[in-house]
């Protein structure tokens, strides 16, 4: 029971990611910007606001990389299963966005917000590429986790829908086979009872008509009342009692008071 409640709670969280993705993205990017700025400031000589502003300037490169790769992951990984093509694009966009970061720093950060005298010389340094990879891959890793769980959840929901349709089709097939068989047997019973002028024939016909009323009109609905289901069971048992008389001994213990609003699938 505990595992069921836990899995149900997880499904609610994942459904909220699907229905309200903007909240997740705002929180994720806020976390990424603050964390990267804090980590950079711990190893640097400038205050926190310097590095936070720097992260805001290079944010377009991170956004381009993360959402482009997220879109490609949905297309190539989860739908087409083309892993090599995905990793090729991953390498290409990693290189391009890694080169975009120093360009944003040179022309925007030190061109608009801070004087160029604070900029390192030379402004483009290949040794900073590994640091740029962290700036690109960390936010994408967070977004890819969300994408993975959303795709997994959607696949599981699709499996459940297919399984439910299969079960409904099996139930409908059983009903199609059951109705003529049941009618054939009851008509034979009626014939035998009428032939010997059985005094319970009229009661048998009344119970039979009530059963077919429920089967024809109530069971075609998506849901119907539990009380109707109990009445169907009781009437069927009464039919068998009339047919077998004292030879059939059956106890049927169900509370008489059942809420009318309780519904079940037919």
């Amino acid at each position: 029971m505990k595992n069921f409640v836990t899995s149900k709670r997880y499904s609610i969280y994942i459904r909220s990611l699907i229905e309200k993705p903007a909240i997740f993205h705002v929180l994720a990017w806020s976390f990424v910007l603050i964390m990267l700025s804090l980590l950079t400031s711990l190893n640097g000589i400038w205050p926190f606001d310097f590095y936070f502003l720097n992260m805001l300037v290079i944010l377009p490169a991170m956004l381009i990389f993360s959402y482009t790769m997220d879109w490609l992951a949905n297309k190539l990984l989860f739908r087409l299963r083309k892993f090599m093509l995905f990793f090729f694009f991953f390498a290409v966009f990693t290189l391009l966005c890694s080169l975009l970061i120093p360009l944003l720093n040179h022309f925007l950060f030190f061109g608009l917000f801070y004087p160029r005298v604070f900029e390192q010389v030379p402004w483009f340094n290949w040794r900073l590429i590994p640091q740029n990879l962290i700036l690109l891959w960390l936010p994408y890793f967070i977004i890819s986790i969300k994408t993975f769980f959303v795709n997994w959840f959607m696949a599981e929901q699709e499996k459940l829908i297919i399984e439910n349709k299969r079960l409904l089709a099996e139930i409908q097939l059983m009903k199609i086979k059951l109705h003529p068989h049941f009618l054939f047997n009851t008509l034979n019973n009626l014939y035998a009872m009428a032939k010997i002028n059985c005094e319970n024939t009229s009661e048998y016909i009344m119970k039979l008509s009530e059963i077919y009323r429920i089967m024809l009109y109530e069971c075609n609905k998506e849901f119907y009342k539990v009380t109707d289901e109990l009445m169907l069971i009781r009437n069927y048992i009464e039919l068998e009692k009339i047919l077998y008389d004292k030879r059939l001994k059956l106890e049927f213990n169900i509370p008489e008071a059942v809420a009318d609003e309780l519904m079940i699938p037919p």
Side-chain angles (χ1 to χ4, degrees):
M1 183 65 183
K2 185 177 180 181
N3 290 336
F4 173 75
V5 174
T6 305
S7 62
K8 189 174 181 181
R9 189 183 300 123
Y10 287 154
S11 67
I12 293 173
Y13 293 155
I14 297 174
R15 190 177 293 276
S16 67
L17 290 179
I18 299 172
E19 296 174 353
K20 300 176 181 178
I23 297 176
F24 167 80
H25 290 289
V26 170
L27 293 175
W29 282 106
S30 300
F31 169 77
V32 166
L33 290 175
I34 293 172
M35 188 184 69
L36 289 176
S37 302
L38 184 61
L39 291 175
T40 311
S41 65
L42 292 175
N43 296 321
I45 60 173
W46 302 100
F48 173 81
D49 55 350
F50 174 90
Y51 296 102
F52 185 74
L53 181 59
N54 182 237
M55 290 298 160
L56 290 177
V57 170
I58 65 175
L59 181 60
M62 293 190 286
L63 290 172
I64 291 171
F65 179 80
S66 296
Y67 289 112
T68 302
M69 295 313 305
D70 187 57
W71 181 79
L72 287 172
N74 278 309
K75 290 284 186 182
L76 300 178
L77 285 183
F78 296 108
R79 295 183 185 178
L80 302 178
R81 304 290 181 181
K82 295 184 177 180
F83 298 98
M84 296 303 296
L85 187 59
F86 170 78
F87 286 114
F88 169 75
F89 282 114
F90 186 88
V92 170
F93 276 95
T94 296
L95 177 62
L96 293 177
C97 292
S98 296
L99 297 176
L100 180 60
I101 289 176
L103 291 174
L104 291 171
N105 277 328
H106 179 67
F107 290 103
L108 292 181
F109 187 66
F110 290 106
L112 295 177
F113 301 104
Y114 280 87
R116 293 197 182 277
V117 293
F118 295 108
E119 186 178 17
Q120 65 178 5
V121 180
W123 64 270
F124 183 82
N125 191 342
W126 287 101
R127 288 179 295 178
L128 294 178
I129 294 297
Q131 177 182 331
N132 295 341
L133 297 182
I134 298 174
L135 299 177
L136 295 175
W137 289 353
L138 178 63
Y140 172 65
F141 176 73
I142 296 174
I143 292 175
S144 64
I145 292 176
K146 170 254 182 186
T147 302
F148 171 79
F149 278 108
V150 167
N151 279 279
W152 169 81
F153 179 77
M154 296 296 288
E156 290 298 314
Q157 292 297 306
E158 189 174 349
K159 287 180 183 177
L160 286 175
I161 292 171
I162 293 173
E163 181 65 17
N164 288 337
K165 287 182 178 180
R166 185 185 66 81
L167 291 174
L168 286 174
E170 289 181 358
I171 291 171
Q172 292 297 328
L173 182 60
M174 289 175 63
K175 286 180 180 179
I176 291 171
K177 292 179 178 179
L178 178 63
H179 288 189
H181 181 72
F182 178 72
L183 180 61
F184 178 75
N185 286 340
T186 52
L187 288 176
N188 278 341
N189 294 337
L190 272 175
Y191 172 75
M193 293 170 70
K195 195 170 183 179
I196 62 173
N197 295 323
C198 181
E199 61 182 9
N200 293 327
T201 304
S202 59
E203 184 182 357
Y204 190 90
I205 293 173
M206 184 186 69
K207 299 290 183 185
L208 182 61
S209 66
E210 185 62 27
I211 287 175
Y212 266 95
R213 181 191 69 80
I214 296 173
M215 292 172 68
L216 291 174
Y217 297 107
E218 301 300 330
C219 291
N220 287 329
K221 300 175 182 177
E222 188 175 358
F223 294 95
Y224 76 121
K225 296 179 181 178
V226 174
T227 52
D228 288 334
E229 177 71 11
L230 294 176
M231 185 184 298
L232 180 67
I233 296 171
R234 287 192 183 100
N235 286 331
Y236 181 78
I237 292 173
E238 290 300 323
L239 284 182
E240 297 302 308
K241 283 183 177 180
I242 292 170
L243 182 63
Y244 292 102
D245 199 17
K246 294 181 180 180
R247 290 175 294 169
L248 178 63
K249 294 180 180 180
L250 183 63
E251 292 185 3
F252 189 66
N253 296 321
I254 290 181
E256 292 292 331
V258 177
D260 252 0
E261 62 269 15
L262 289 178
M263 309 289 283
I264 59 171

